[in-house]
Amino acid sequence: MRLSRYFLPILRETPKEAEIVSHRLMLRAGMVRQESAGIYAWLPLGLRVLERVCRVIREEQERSGAVELLMPTVQSAELWRESGRYDAYGKEMLRLKDRHEREMLYGPTAEEMITEIFRASARSYKDLPKNLYQISWKFRDEVRPRFGTMRSREFLMKDGYSFDFDQAGARHAYNRVFVSYLRTFAGLGLKAIPMRADTGPIGGDLSHEFIILAQTGESEVFLDRAYLDFEIPAATVDFEDVAGLQGIVDSWTSHYAATDEIHDAAAFAEVPEASRMSARGIEVGHIFYFGTKYSEPMGAVVTGPDGIERPVHMGSYGIGPSRLVAAIIEASHDEAGIIWPDAVAPFDVALINLKTGDAGTDGACAEIQAQLESGGLSVLYDDRDERPGGKFATADLIGLPWQVIVGPKGLAEGKVELKRRATGERETLAPLDLLARIKRA
Amino acid sequence: MRLSRYFLPILRETPKEAEIVSHRLMLRAGMVRQESAGIYAWLPLGLRVLERVCRVIREEQERSGAVELLMPTVQSAELWRESGRYDAYGKEMLRLKDRHEREMLYGPTAEEMITEIFRASARSYKDLPKNLYQISWKFRDEVRPRFGTMRSREFLMKDGYSFDFDQAGARHAYNRVFVSYLRTFAGLGLKAIPMRADTGPIGGDLSHEFIILAQTGESEVFLDRAYLDFEIPAATVDFEDVAGLQGIVDSWTSHYAATDEIHDAAAFAEVPEASRMSARGIEVGHIFYFGTKYSEPMGAVVTGPDGIERPVHMGSYGIGPSRLVAAIIEASHDEAGIIWPDAVAPFDVALINLKTGDAGTDGACAEIQAQLESGGLSVLYDDRDERPGGKFATADLIGLPWQVIVGPKGLAEGKVELKRRATGERETLAPLDLLARIKRA
């Protein structure tokens, strides 16, 4: 992609309203633009990151056996009255009326709707288990939205729901998601620690938050440092292996880890001192087992082998991709800008032409772009008529993993410069060696 | 994917509320479920088709030089007051108030917002041209929603917007989209004819609708049969070639073609009789050039080479993917169910085990699934414990392009049956020959 054709509205000044670094950098890098309080447009560069985050999430969802569907954003109030949550939910629910004065709402979550969809067809325990998920826009009408896409009103959410015949089945479903989330966050280049959580207004009796460690994280967390060396389950993990998954979950919940909300200083004091660690963290996932909380009032029942109807056991599982994009930046940036992990970078390479309009550099850049793209790398080619300093600053700000710098001097010797954004390391090499060099890393 | 793990709530009876065949088949095949009047959940099978439709649209958008972004669904009323459309739009606009009583709306389209995004950074004619698009959910509060996803209230829309310095540039942008739409609909397996259209409430002075021919289409169209033999522009078409694109557009608008709304019987009578054709059609795309209708009131201006500021020339371009899914079914079905074009089929192959539980057929099916999937085909394996008749009916109903039928008798001779859904043709062959046979077609 040529930058002259792209739409990358970089901001020169730091926006005053942005209180946290990810918000500042997302605005400055032209990733998002605020359209209303807490409501953002995802500009091309931001959308590419969001899509890559979603791709990793989808891959791991499918691997764990979850099936994707997509529910509408506008839901009927009637449905939420069945569970009793319509009146209970409060002002965070965006309520609206259609032209026939029917009460509707913009879904903040979808337990009721998925239960309705499930109950319409499920009849027998043989229809179980099911694990359905969607990635869709939700709305929560925060009283004072801030922190950019970290806590926006309109936000993207991967919400998954499991349906099982009994508690043991539901526990296995929960463990599937637990393990799949470990893989998901690791796949995004993040260090995520599961921490036991209060179940809050959503109800239920088993719940974990997944917290990533980030120097500028929103809250303080306390954990046993041992978790940092824990192994992420391999891609070959058998999601059908009930005991195997339970073993992984047991291991990942065997040491101390707590957010400040439920931190227990006495229990933490029992962790060996060298292992005690306090850090800043950001919640990026939340999983719940809530039994028959929705299936019972809403009549989502199946017939068992004994012919008796019982409400199904359910869980729900959330990851916020639009929040994750900001969280990744909180975990990975420096003074000059964003440093994207390879897995979610909007492009792999920033190709910088130091002298746009010069036949030599123009030609070399076109060849390098073609060569890298044919090798499967994505390239953002800065072909603008701008000073080198501005191009370097833009490349550092938007944080693509690699920078390829092409100038007349180097070309005279048959060389270009390659810079790794994360470390600042530079090397000079022949253009034809770029692809192999980048792929090797 | 094993059907026993999937979520495919087939309906045995034809739903009474469904008036058109695509609506009936989408409900029966478990593709969608109505959650409120005109509001649908996309169940897994339906979502896969929707995603494939979007993929074809995206490919052709990118090829033509358009850049993807994503605007929020909830917009501020303030923005629509700038263009004067907030009061003009009428009851189809879903208006709402947030917790602070701010007037908002669920976007039915996004000319105002994209203009706001553009004007915030564009300064000079050098920032042009731009062509930005999104694929996102829109809401139009139809007074009497019906026909399923063909005319739903919450619907998916690809809406693109072009920004050019002058009318000549805007005309080229329009032609880019025109050609890209020809390729898009052909890529979806559809016969689409561009027809001159009224510009309606969106304004402007150049507009075409893209109408696909379908026996059960919503409206009557009249055209010169010559269009049916017109060549679709190749993938290698040069979107920078101003004269070349104009030539393609001129050719595709050189003969008579009109919807009944603007049909001119006298002009049609001048078409040679053998070429005159009337047919049923469905509108699946609509493109507009509307000049400075939004840029002028909203102050989206750029400085020209002469230093003078001028409002930019804009166009907007829409395709409705959720409508297209229904339209494809209207164009491609029979008594037994849907017949998916290969390009949008939710899975390539329905693998039918005639005797689930039999070690021979179970083993053969598992091998065939693995073999086809490793060859890049997607397979929906009917491993349910059900009678063959039910499995055949399901396979015909959901309309996957190929059916592979595995029974004990055939296996005894080392053979399985392959059926092409579209033609009903059957052949028997060795399991190991399936992949090559299907790929050859």
Side-chain angles (χ1 to χ4, degrees):
Chain A
M1 173 61 67
R2 282 168 177 262
L3 192 41
S4 61
R5 305 274 173 88
Y6 205 55
F7 184 69
L8 185 71
I10 298 284
L11 300 186
R12 293 233 171 71
E13 276 126 55
T14 297
K16 289 189 208 95
E17 75 272 23
E19 299 172 46
I20 59 173
V21 66
S22 59
H23 191 190
R24 281 196 296 275
L25 287 173
M26 288 176 77
L27 291 171
R28 283 191 53 215
M31 289 179 60
V32 294
R33 176 171 174 80
Q34 179 172 305
E35 294 300 324
S36 309
I39 299 180
Y40 292 84
W42 288 76
L43 304 181
L45 195 78
L47 181 60
R48 284 180 77 104
V49 179
L50 191 60
E51 286 296 334
R52 292 204 70 180
V53 166
C54 289
R55 199 178 314 160
V56 172
I57 292 173
R58 278 198 177 92
E59 273 173 26
E60 295 302 335
Q61 287 291 304
E62 306 284 328
R63 192 193 307 284
S64 77
V67 174
E68 187 172 6
L69 48 56
L70 183 60
M71 292 175 267
T73 59
V74 175
Q75 308 186 10
S76 83
E78 218 37 66
L79 194 57
W80 286 66
R81 290 212 172 89
E82 288 191 43
S83 71
R85 285 210 294 180
Y86 187 68
D87 295 323
Y89 211 95
K91 288 200 160 188
E92 277 193 13
M93 178 184 279
L94 184 64
R95 294 157 210 259
L96 48 100
K97 283 187 178 158
D98 72 7
R99 66 190 295 168
H100 300 297
E101 296 292 316
R102 280 180 293 224
E103 289 177 293
M104 316 283 287
L105 57 100
Y106 197 124
T109 174
E111 280 81 5
E112 283 80 358
M113 191 175 279
I114 197 75
T115 304
E116 190 283 326
I117 288 171
F118 174 83
R119 78 179 172 196
S121 67
R123 296 287 168 265
S124 151
Y125 71 98
K126 292 179 191 165
D127 297 322
L128 300 173
K130 290 286 176 234
N131 189 344
L132 303 171
Y133 79 100
Q134 66 174 347
I135 298 182
S136 74
W137 293 88
K138 312 290 193 293
F139 202 99
R140 285 186 196 161
D141 202 358
E142 306 264 355
V143 64
R144 198 162 82 85
R146 49 182 193 158
F147 304 144
T149 69
M150 185 77 86
R151 188 176 291 276
S152 51
R153 293 200 289 169
E154 189 169 330
F155 62 99
L156 194 59
M157 175 109 142
K158 188 290 291 182
D159 43 327
Y161 306 90
S162 64
F163 301 87
D164 284 271
F165 183 60
D166 56 21
Q167 195 169 354
R171 163 65 77 143
H172 179 55
Y174 185 92
N175 290 348
R176 277 176 189 268
V177 181
F178 189 107
V179 171
S180 126
Y181 276 24
L182 288 174
R183 286 192 45 80
T184 301
F185 297 121
L188 293 168
L190 297 168
K191 201 66 149 171
I193 315 287
M195 304 195 182
R196 188 169 295 273
D198 273 341
T199 53
I202 209 164
D205 57 12
L206 177 59
S207 177
H208 286 90
E209 290 177 355
F210 286 75
I211 308 279
I212 60 159
L213 305 183
Q215 279 186 2
T216 49
E218 62 194 352
S219 60
E220 195 168 12
V221 296
F222 304 87
L223 65 151
D224 190 321
R225 198 182 296 274
Y227 278 125
L228 302 184
D229 300 322
F230 271 36
E231 213 170 298
I232 300 297
T236 51
V237 65
D238 180 2
F239 281 95
E240 305 305 311
D241 177 0
V242 174
L245 288 198
Q246 188 64 54
I248 297 171
V249 172
D250 287 346
S251 152
W252 274 91
T253 53
S254 58
H255 290 59
Y256 189 88
T259 59
D260 51 3
E261 282 167 23
I262 60 165
H263 178 50
D264 176 345
F268 191 50
E270 286 171 28
V271 175
E273 193 169 348
S275 278
R276 267 178 245 158
M277 175 177 175
S278 76
R280 307 297 299 179
I282 301 170
E283 185 206 324
V284 290
H286 205 155
I287 63 179
F288 300 91
Y289 161 66
F290 47 68
T292 60
K293 179 181 162 73
Y294 298 94
S295 57
E296 201 160 315
M298 294 184 66
V301 298
V302 295
T303 307
D306 55 8
I308 296 172
E309 280 188 344
R310 291 185 189 78
V312 295
H313 287 251
M314 294 174 57
S316 76
Y317 315 98
I319 294 180
S322 49
R323 178 179 176 80
L324 256 175
V325 172
I328 291 168
I329 295 174
E330 294 290 335
S332 186
H333 66 274
D334 64 14
E335 286 295 302
I338 302 165
I339 302 170
W340 291 117
D342 294 313
V344 298
F347 294 89
D348 300 311
V349 176
L351 175 60
I352 299 172
N353 186 341
L354 292 183
K355 201 172 176 187
T356 296
D358 176 271
T361 58
D362 287 358
C365 284
E367 274 173 40
I368 290 169
Q369 181 181 9
Q371 178 210 355
L372 296 181
E373 286 178 350
S374 73
L377 297 178
S378 54
V379 177
L380 185 62
Y381 169 26
D382 194 342
D383 62 339
R384 296 171 305 161
D385 183 14
E386 200 178 306
R387 287 172 305 102
K391 293 189 178 187
F392 292 142
T394 295
D396 281 351
L397 174 62
I398 67 175
L400 308 185
W402 300 95
Q403 297 173 13
V404 172
I405 300 150
V406 180
K409 274 190 205 163
L411 277 185
E413 295 163 18
K415 300 284 186 190
V416 297
E417 195 174 18
L418 178 67
K419 174 181 161 187
R420 181 76 171 153
R421 172 67 180 90
T423 59
E425 286 171 280
R426 293 161 186 271
E427 58 192 288
T428 56
L429 68 178
L432 280 176
D433 295 333
L434 282 166
L435 181 62
R437 171 67 190 85
I438 293 173
K439 289 213 151 179
R440 182 154 49 86
Chain B
M1 173 61 68
R2 285 169 176 261
L3 192 41
S4 61
R5 305 275 172 88
Y6 205 55
F7 184 68
L8 185 72
I10 298 284
L11 300 186
R12 294 234 171 70
E13 275 127 54
T14 297
K16 288 190 208 93
E17 75 273 24
E19 299 171 47
I20 59 173
V21 65
S22 60
H23 191 190
R24 282 197 294 274
L25 287 173
M26 288 177 77
L27 291 171
R28 283 191 51 214
M31 289 179 60
V32 295
R33 177 172 172 78
Q34 178 170 305
E35 293 300 323
S36 308
I39 300 180
Y40 292 84
W42 288 76
L43 304 181
L45 195 77
L47 181 60
R48 284 180 77 103
V49 179
L50 191 61
E51 286 295 336
R52 292 204 70 181
V53 167
C54 290
R55 198 178 313 159
V56 172
I57 293 173
R58 279 197 175 92
E59 274 174 25
E60 296 300 334
Q61 287 292 303
E62 306 285 328
R63 191 192 308 282
S64 76
V67 174
E68 187 172 5
L69 47 57
L70 183 61
M71 292 175 266
T73 59
V74 176
Q75 308 186 10
S76 84
E78 218 38 65
L79 195 57
W80 286 67
R81 290 212 172 89
E82 288 192 42
S83 71
R85 285 209 295 179
Y86 187 67
D87 295 323
Y89 210 95
K91 288 201 158 187
E92 277 193 14
M93 178 184 279
L94 184 65
R95 294 156 210 260
L96 49 99
K97 283 187 179 159
D98 73 6
R99 66 191 294 168
H100 300 298
E101 296 291 316
R102 280 179 293 224
E103 289 176 293
M104 315 283 287
L105 57 100
Y106 197 124
T109 173
E111 280 82 6
E112 283 79 359
M113 191 174 280
I114 197 76
T115 303
E116 189 283 326
I117 288 170
F118 174 83
R119 77 179 174 196
S121 68
R123 295 288 167 265
S124 153
Y125 70 98
K126 292 180 191 164
D127 296 324
L128 299 174
K130 290 287 176 232
N131 189 344
L132 304 170
Y133 79 99
Q134 66 174 346
I135 298 182
S136 74
W137 293 89
K138 311 290 192 294
F139 202 97
R140 285 187 195 159
D141 202 357
E142 306 263 356
V143 63
R144 197 163 82 84
R146 49 182 192 157
F147 303 144
T149 68
M150 185 77 85
R151 187 176 291 277
S152 51
R153 293 200 290 170
E154 189 169 330
F155 62 99
L156 194 59
M157 175 107 142
K158 188 290 292 182
D159 43 326
Y161 306 90
S162 64
F163 301 87
D164 284 271
F165 182 60
D166 56 21
Q167 195 169 353
R171 163 66 78 142
H172 180 54
Y174 186 91
N175 290 347
R176 277 176 189 268
V177 181
F178 190 106
V179 171
S180 128
Y181 276 23
L182 288 175
R183 286 193 45 79
T184 302
F185 297 119
L188 292 168
L190 296 169
K191 201 64 148 173
I193 314 288
M195 303 195 183
R196 188 169 294 272
D198 274 341
T199 54
I202 209 163
D205 56 11
L206 178 59
S207 176
H208 285 90
E209 292 177 354
F210 286 74
I211 308 279
I212 60 159
L213 304 183
Q215 279 187 2
T216 49
E218 62 195 351
S219 60
E220 196 168 12
V221 296
F222 304 87
L223 66 150
D224 190 322
R225 197 183 295 276
Y227 278 125
L228 301 184
D229 300 322
F230 271 36
E231 213 169 297
I232 300 297
T236 52
V237 64
D238 180 2
F239 281 95
E240 304 306 310
D241 177 1
V242 174
L245 288 198
Q246 187 64 55
I248 296 172
V249 172
D250 287 346
S251 153
W252 274 92
T253 52
S254 57
H255 291 58
Y256 189 87
T259 59
D260 51 3
E261 282 168 22
I262 61 164
H263 178 50
D264 176 346
F268 191 50
E270 285 171 30
V271 175
E273 193 170 348
S275 277
R276 266 177 244 157
M277 176 176 173
S278 76
R280 307 296 299 180
I282 301 170
E283 186 206 323
V284 290
H286 205 155
I287 63 180
F288 301 91
Y289 160 65
F290 46 68
T292 60
K293 179 180 161 76
Y294 298 95
S295 57
E296 202 161 315
M298 295 185 66
V301 298
V302 295
T303 307
D306 54 9
I308 296 172
E309 279 189 344
R310 291 186 189 79
V312 295
H313 287 250
M314 295 173 55
S316 76
Y317 315 99
I319 293 180
S322 49
R323 177 180 176 79
L324 257 175
V325 173
I328 292 168
I329 295 174
E330 295 288 336
S332 187
H333 67 273
D334 64 14
E335 286 294 302
I338 302 164
I339 302 170
W340 290 115
D342 293 313
V344 297
F347 295 88
D348 300 310
V349 176
L351 175 59
I352 299 172
N353 186 341
L354 292 183
K355 201 171 175 188
T356 296
D358 176 271
T361 58
D362 287 359
C365 284
E367 275 174 38
I368 291 169
Q369 181 180 10
Q371 180 211 354
L372 297 181
E373 286 178 350
S374 73
L377 298 177
S378 54
V379 177
L380 185 61
Y381 169 27
D382 193 342
D383 62 338
R384 295 171 305 161
D385 183 14
E386 199 180 304
R387 287 171 304 104
K391 294 189 177 186
F392 293 142
T394 295
D396 281 351
L397 175 62
I398 67 175
L400 308 184
W402 300 95
Q403 297 174 13
V404 172
I405 299 151
V406 180
K409 274 190 205 162
L411 277 185
E413 295 162 19
K415 301 285 186 189
V416 297
E417 196 174 19
L418 178 68
K419 174 182 160 185
R420 181 74 171 155
R421 172 67 179 90
T423 59
E425 285 173 279
R426 293 161 185 270
E427 58 192 288
T428 55
L429 67 179
L432 281 176
D433 295 332
L434 281 167
L435 181 61
R437 171 67 189 84
I438 293 173
K439 289 213 152 180
R440 182 154 49 85

mmCIF file of all heavy atoms in Angstrom, chain B residues 151-173:
data_model
loop_
_atom_site.group_PDB
_atom_site.id
_atom_site.type_symbol
_atom_site.label_atom_id
_atom_site.label_comp_id
_atom_site.label_asym_id
_atom_site.label_seq_id
_atom_site.Cartn_x
_atom_site.Cartn_y
_atom_site.Cartn_z
ATOM 1 N N ARG B 151 -35.048 -7.188 3.003
ATOM 2 C CA ARG B 151 -35.409 -5.826 3.386
ATOM 3 C C ARG B 151 -35.574 -5.770 4.904
ATOM 4 O O ARG B 151 -36.667 -5.549 5.412
ATOM 5 C CB ARG B 151 -36.696 -5.407 2.664
ATOM 6 C CG ARG B 151 -37.071 -3.934 2.851
ATOM 7 C CD ARG B 151 -38.294 -3.568 2.032
ATOM 8 N NE ARG B 151 -37.989 -3.578 0.619
ATOM 9 C CZ ARG B 151 -37.421 -2.551 -0.036
ATOM 10 N NH1 ARG B 151 -37.110 -1.445 0.599
ATOM 11 N NH2 ARG B 151 -37.186 -2.638 -1.318
ATOM 12 N N SER B 152 -34.472 -5.979 5.598
ATOM 13 C CA SER B 152 -34.563 -6.008 7.060
ATOM 14 C C SER B 152 -34.282 -4.620 7.624
ATOM 15 O O SER B 152 -33.830 -3.726 6.921
ATOM 16 C CB SER B 152 -33.586 -7.043 7.621
ATOM 17 O OG SER B 152 -32.301 -6.852 7.090
ATOM 18 N N ARG B 153 -34.599 -4.447 8.881
ATOM 19 C CA ARG B 153 -34.354 -3.144 9.515
ATOM 20 C C ARG B 153 -32.875 -2.989 9.848
ATOM 21 O O ARG B 153 -32.250 -1.990 9.536
ATOM 22 C CB ARG B 153 -35.224 -3.002 10.770
ATOM 23 C CG ARG B 153 -36.723 -2.925 10.424
ATOM 24 C CD ARG B 153 -37.514 -2.308 11.561
ATOM 25 N NE ARG B 153 -37.581 -3.185 12.726
ATOM 26 C CZ ARG B 153 -38.041 -2.804 13.908
ATOM 27 N NH1 ARG B 153 -38.452 -1.548 14.099
ATOM 28 N NH2 ARG B 153 -38.113 -3.665 14.917
ATOM 29 N N GLU B 154 -32.313 -4.005 10.503
ATOM 30 C CA GLU B 154 -30.871 -3.988 10.746
ATOM 31 C C GLU B 154 -30.231 -4.767 9.600
ATOM 32 O O GLU B 154 -30.566 -5.932 9.386
ATOM 33 C CB GLU B 154 -30.553 -4.620 12.113
ATOM 34 C CG GLU B 154 -29.102 -4.438 12.530
ATOM 35 C CD GLU B 154 -28.831 -4.831 13.992
ATOM 36 O OE1 GLU B 154 -29.736 -4.698 14.845
ATOM 37 O OE2 GLU B 154 -27.706 -5.273 14.276
ATOM 38 N N PHE B 155 -29.382 -4.148 8.853
ATOM 39 C CA PHE B 155 -28.834 -4.803 7.665
ATOM 40 C C PHE B 155 -27.371 -4.425 7.471
ATOM 41 O O PHE B 155 -26.917 -3.376 7.933
ATOM 42 C CB PHE B 155 -29.648 -4.419 6.414
ATOM 43 C CG PHE B 155 -29.617 -2.953 6.096
ATOM 44 C CD1 PHE B 155 -28.768 -2.450 5.121
ATOM 45 C CD2 PHE B 155 -30.429 -2.052 6.785
ATOM 46 C CE1 PHE B 155 -28.728 -1.082 4.831
ATOM 47 C CE2 PHE B 155 -30.388 -0.690 6.506
ATOM 48 C CZ PHE B 155 -29.540 -0.208 5.528
ATOM 49 N N LEU B 156 -26.649 -5.313 6.787
ATOM 50 C CA LEU B 156 -25.235 -5.064 6.549
ATOM 51 C C LEU B 156 -25.086 -4.296 5.235
ATOM 52 O O LEU B 156 -25.772 -4.588 4.264
ATOM 53 C CB LEU B 156 -24.477 -6.390 6.474
ATOM 54 C CG LEU B 156 -22.950 -6.310 6.557
ATOM 55 C CD1 LEU B 156 -22.486 -5.654 7.846
ATOM 56 C CD2 LEU B 156 -22.324 -7.706 6.448
ATOM 57 N N MET B 157 -24.195 -3.331 5.234
ATOM 58 C CA MET B 157 -24.025 -2.498 4.047
ATOM 59 C C MET B 157 -22.543 -2.250 3.830
ATOM 60 O O MET B 157 -21.812 -1.923 4.758
ATOM 61 C CB MET B 157 -24.722 -1.169 4.302
ATOM 62 C CG MET B 157 -24.525 -0.168 3.207
ATOM 63 S SD MET B 157 -26.037 -0.010 2.281
ATOM 64 C CE MET B 157 -26.017 1.737 1.981
ATOM 65 N N LYS B 158 -22.129 -2.412 2.564
ATOM 66 C CA LYS B 158 -20.821 -1.898 2.147
ATOM 67 C C LYS B 158 -21.104 -0.517 1.608
ATOM 68 O O LYS B 158 -21.775 -0.376 0.581
ATOM 69 C CB LYS B 158 -20.227 -2.794 1.060
ATOM 70 C CG LYS B 158 -18.775 -2.473 0.687
ATOM 71 C CD LYS B 158 -18.531 -1.176 -0.068
ATOM 72 C CE LYS B 158 -19.097 -1.189 -1.473
ATOM 73 N NZ LYS B 158 -18.802 0.085 -2.211
ATOM 74 N N ASP B 159 -20.655 0.502 2.311
ATOM 75 C CA ASP B 159 -20.835 1.848 1.788
ATOM 76 C C ASP B 159 -19.467 2.485 1.569
ATOM 77 O O ASP B 159 -18.630 2.536 2.462
ATOM 78 C CB ASP B 159 -21.727 2.722 2.680
ATOM 79 C CG ASP B 159 -21.429 2.594 4.176
ATOM 80 O OD1 ASP B 159 -21.061 1.495 4.632
ATOM 81 O OD2 ASP B 159 -21.572 3.601 4.893
ATOM 82 N N GLY B 160 -19.266 2.940 0.336
ATOM 83 C CA GLY B 160 -17.997 3.557 -0.040
ATOM 84 C C GLY B 160 -18.216 5.009 -0.415
ATOM 85 O O GLY B 160 -19.312 5.385 -0.834
ATOM 86 N N TYR B 161 -17.168 5.818 -0.251
ATOM 87 C CA TYR B 161 -17.271 7.259 -0.488
ATOM 88 C C TYR B 161 -16.002 7.721 -1.184
ATOM 89 O O TYR B 161 -14.903 7.392 -0.748
ATOM 90 C CB TYR B 161 -17.457 7.992 0.843
ATOM 91 C CG TYR B 161 -18.627 7.456 1.642
ATOM 92 C CD1 TYR B 161 -18.464 6.414 2.560
ATOM 93 C CD2 TYR B 161 -19.912 7.954 1.420
ATOM 94 C CE1 TYR B 161 -19.554 5.900 3.258
ATOM 95 C CE2 TYR B 161 -21.006 7.436 2.114
ATOM 96 C CZ TYR B 161 -20.818 6.412 3.031
ATOM 97 O OH TYR B 161 -21.892 5.906 3.705
ATOM 98 N N SER B 162 -16.174 8.506 -2.243
ATOM 99 C CA SER B 162 -14.998 9.018 -2.944
ATOM 100 C C SER B 162 -14.911 10.535 -2.804
ATOM 101 O O SER B 162 -15.926 11.221 -2.708
ATOM 102 C CB SER B 162 -15.047 8.626 -4.425
ATOM 103 O OG SER B 162 -16.151 9.225 -5.066
ATOM 104 N N PHE B 163 -13.682 11.019 -2.776
ATOM 105 C CA PHE B 163 -13.390 12.450 -2.626
ATOM 106 C C PHE B 163 -12.436 12.855 -3.737
ATOM 107 O O PHE B 163 -11.343 12.285 -3.840
ATOM 108 C CB PHE B 163 -12.724 12.721 -1.274
ATOM 109 C CG PHE B 163 -13.563 12.290 -0.108
ATOM 110 C CD1 PHE B 163 -13.499 10.987 0.369
ATOM 111 C CD2 PHE B 163 -14.443 13.181 0.505
ATOM 112 C CE1 PHE B 163 -14.289 10.578 1.439
ATOM 113 C CE2 PHE B 163 -15.228 12.787 1.571
ATOM 114 C CZ PHE B 163 -15.155 11.476 2.038
ATOM 115 N N ASP B 164 -12.850 13.816 -4.545
ATOM 116 C CA ASP B 164 -12.005 14.256 -5.649
ATOM 117 C C ASP B 164 -12.011 15.775 -5.740
ATOM 118 O O ASP B 164 -12.906 16.449 -5.231
ATOM 119 C CB ASP B 164 -12.500 13.627 -6.952
ATOM 120 C CG ASP B 164 -12.110 12.164 -7.046
ATOM 121 O OD1 ASP B 164 -11.022 11.879 -7.550
ATOM 122 O OD2 ASP B 164 -12.887 11.315 -6.552
ATOM 123 N N PHE B 165 -10.994 16.260 -6.444
ATOM 124 C CA PHE B 165 -10.818 17.704 -6.526
ATOM 125 C C PHE B 165 -11.818 18.352 -7.479
ATOM 126 O O PHE B 165 -12.260 19.479 -7.259
ATOM 127 C CB PHE B 165 -9.378 18.024 -6.968
ATOM 128 C CG PHE B 165 -9.089 19.481 -7.026
ATOM 129 C CD1 PHE B 165 -9.205 20.261 -5.880
ATOM 130 C CD2 PHE B 165 -8.710 20.096 -8.205
ATOM 131 C CE1 PHE B 165 -8.938 21.623 -5.919
ATOM 132 C CE2 PHE B 165 -8.451 21.455 -8.253
ATOM 133 C CZ PHE B 165 -8.568 22.219 -7.107
ATOM 134 N N ASP B 166 -12.160 17.620 -8.538
ATOM 135 C CA ASP B 166 -13.085 18.218 -9.503
ATOM 136 C C ASP B 166 -13.995 17.140 -10.085
ATOM 137 O O ASP B 166 -13.883 15.956 -9.746
ATOM 138 C CB ASP B 166 -12.318 18.959 -10.607
ATOM 139 C CG ASP B 166 -11.318 18.040 -11.304
ATOM 140 O OD1 ASP B 166 -11.485 16.803 -11.222
ATOM 141 O OD2 ASP B 166 -10.349 18.556 -11.898
ATOM 142 N N GLN B 167 -14.868 17.590 -10.977
ATOM 143 C CA GLN B 167 -15.864 16.684 -11.511
ATOM 144 C C GLN B 167 -15.240 15.578 -12.354
ATOM 145 O O GLN B 167 -15.692 14.422 -12.305
ATOM 146 C CB GLN B 167 -16.865 17.483 -12.354
ATOM 147 C CG GLN B 167 -18.122 16.689 -12.630
ATOM 148 C CD GLN B 167 -19.229 17.544 -13.230
ATOM 149 O OE1 GLN B 167 -19.106 18.766 -13.324
ATOM 150 N NE2 GLN B 167 -20.314 16.893 -13.609
ATOM 151 N N ALA B 168 -14.174 15.910 -13.081
ATOM 152 C CA ALA B 168 -13.526 14.893 -13.914
ATOM 153 C C ALA B 168 -12.941 13.791 -13.029
ATOM 154 O O ALA B 168 -13.064 12.600 -13.332
ATOM 155 C CB ALA B 168 -12.429 15.534 -14.774
ATOM 156 N N GLY B 169 -12.318 14.210 -11.926
ATOM 157 C CA GLY B 169 -11.777 13.226 -10.998
ATOM 158 C C GLY B 169 -12.880 12.371 -10.406
ATOM 159 O O GLY B 169 -12.745 11.140 -10.274
ATOM 160 N N ALA B 170 -13.973 13.025 -10.057
ATOM 161 C CA ALA B 170 -15.091 12.297 -9.447
ATOM 162 C C ALA B 170 -15.693 11.303 -10.433
ATOM 163 O O ALA B 170 -16.120 10.210 -10.059
ATOM 164 C CB ALA B 170 -16.157 13.279 -8.965
ATOM 165 N N ARG B 171 -15.709 11.688 -11.700
ATOM 166 C CA ARG B 171 -16.230 10.778 -12.721
ATOM 167 C C ARG B 171 -15.351 9.529 -12.814
ATOM 168 O O ARG B 171 -15.838 8.403 -12.926
ATOM 169 C CB ARG B 171 -16.290 11.523 -14.061
ATOM 170 C CG ARG B 171 -16.422 10.640 -15.271
ATOM 171 C CD ARG B 171 -17.739 9.902 -15.307
ATOM 172 N NE ARG B 171 -18.813 10.782 -15.744
ATOM 173 C CZ ARG B 171 -19.806 10.395 -16.541
ATOM 174 N NH1 ARG B 171 -19.880 9.149 -16.967
ATOM 175 N NH2 ARG B 171 -20.745 11.245 -16.884
ATOM 176 N N HIS B 172 -14.039 9.723 -12.725
ATOM 177 C CA HIS B 172 -13.140 8.564 -12.750
ATOM 178 C C HIS B 172 -13.373 7.691 -11.514
ATOM 179 O O HIS B 172 -13.391 6.452 -11.607
ATOM 180 C CB HIS B 172 -11.684 9.028 -12.834
ATOM 181 C CG HIS B 172 -10.697 7.901 -12.856
ATOM 182 N ND1 HIS B 172 -10.766 6.863 -13.759
ATOM 183 C CD2 HIS B 172 -9.632 7.622 -12.065
ATOM 184 C CE1 HIS B 172 -9.781 6.006 -13.542
ATOM 185 N NE2 HIS B 172 -9.086 6.433 -12.509
ATOM 186 N N ALA B 173 -13.555 8.322 -10.360
ATOM 187 C CA ALA B 173 -13.834 7.561 -9.136
ATOM 188 C C ALA B 173 -15.117 6.742 -9.305
ATOM 189 O O ALA B 173 -15.184 5.575 -8.926
ATOM 190 C CB ALA B 173 -13.962 8.514 -7.948
#
